[in-house]
Amino acid sequence: MTSPHHPDPPPPAATPAATTDEIMEIERALTRVAHLLTRARQHDRVVAASGIAVDRAAVPLLRLLADNDGPMRPSEIAARLVVEAPHVTRQVQRLERAGYVDRVPDPDDGRAQRVRLSDTGRDAVDCIRAVGRTWMNDALTGWSPGELRDLATLVHRMVDDFVAHSEATGPRCADHPATTPPRAPVRT
């Protein structure tokens, strides 16, 4: 699968499957990164540095609209962000009142509307991203350009593989013996 972020990697050589320890360490690292990037204190720093007053839940929605080619239906936004539609409706209402998004008629359905970034919203996303890039650049000053390129390539590859695997298999937790609760003994 070709990604807009990197070309298809060459077919893997016969490599052994990752050990449980390797997978556990990757999962631990990803959990730490997710926590670090989504915690309230980090969001508050970005908001203070950017001067953009939006809540944490609004940022992914604004980023998604900025990355999309055109206006989106709220249902599509909800599906892409993996959240419930009422959550998107509330966020869109708040963002519209703040001037960050506009609603426009849906060309495919006269009864529906789509959501797009306003010019103010686009400026807000650009500013939030600039603050985030500066923070990341400062944090990774000890990394060489080659290491940064390798990291970007591997992270994009990992995300692409996660997406492809998720689309192919769906959730499988119930099938995993470690997550299936033991049955209580039946007394007769």
Side-chain angles (χ1 to χ4, degrees):
M1 170 167 104
T2 300
S3 161
H5 306 292
H6 62 81
D8 282 338
T15 57
T19 68
T20 302
D21 290 343
E22 292 164 332
I23 295 298
M24 285 173 48
E25 284 306 309
I26 292 168
E27 190 259 347
R28 281 184 65 235
L30 291 174
T31 299
R32 290 178 62 209
V33 167
H35 174 73
L36 176 68
L37 296 178
T38 60
R39 64 187 175 159
R41 191 168 50 197
Q42 180 67 18
H43 173 77
D44 293 344
R45 285 183 189 137
V46 169
V47 166
S50 68
I52 307 299
V54 294
D55 63 39
R56 276 190 305 160
V59 174
L61 193 153
L62 290 171
R63 287 176 184 258
L64 176 63
L65 289 172
D67 293 341
N68 200 53
D69 290 336
M72 298 176 71
R73 288 183 174 185
S75 59
E76 182 184 3
I77 294 169
R80 298 263 301 272
L81 294 177
V82 193
V83 297
E84 298 296 322
H87 171 76
V88 169
T89 300
R90 286 189 301 274
Q91 284 299 324
V92 166
Q93 289 168 346
R94 286 183 195 121
L95 292 168
E96 187 176 30
R97 281 192 301 269
Y100 294 123
V101 300
D102 300 314
R103 293 178 203 241
V104 295
D106 187 327
D108 300 328
D109 182 350
R111 300 166 296 165
Q113 293 183 324
R114 293 188 183 199
V115 180
R116 69 175 180 200
L117 277 182
S118 65
D119 290 340
T120 301
R122 190 159 307 284
D123 291 344
V125 171
D126 290 346
C127 190
I128 289 167
R129 285 183 165 158
V131 168
R133 282 190 301 268
T134 298
W135 180 87
M136 194 176 301
N137 186 58
D138 292 348
L140 300 176
T141 57
W143 291 52
S144 73
E147 288 172 321
L148 293 172
R149 252 188 323 277
D150 290 348
L151 177 63
T153 298
L154 290 171
V155 170
H156 280 300
R157 179 177 168 196
M158 178 185 64
V159 171
D160 291 344
D161 288 349
F162 281 178
V163 168
H165 184 69
S166 179
E167 289 171 354
T169 63
R172 297 177 50 131
C173 211
D175 297 337
H176 193 281
T179 60
T180 304
R183 290 189 152 174
V186 178
R187 295 186 181 192
T188 55

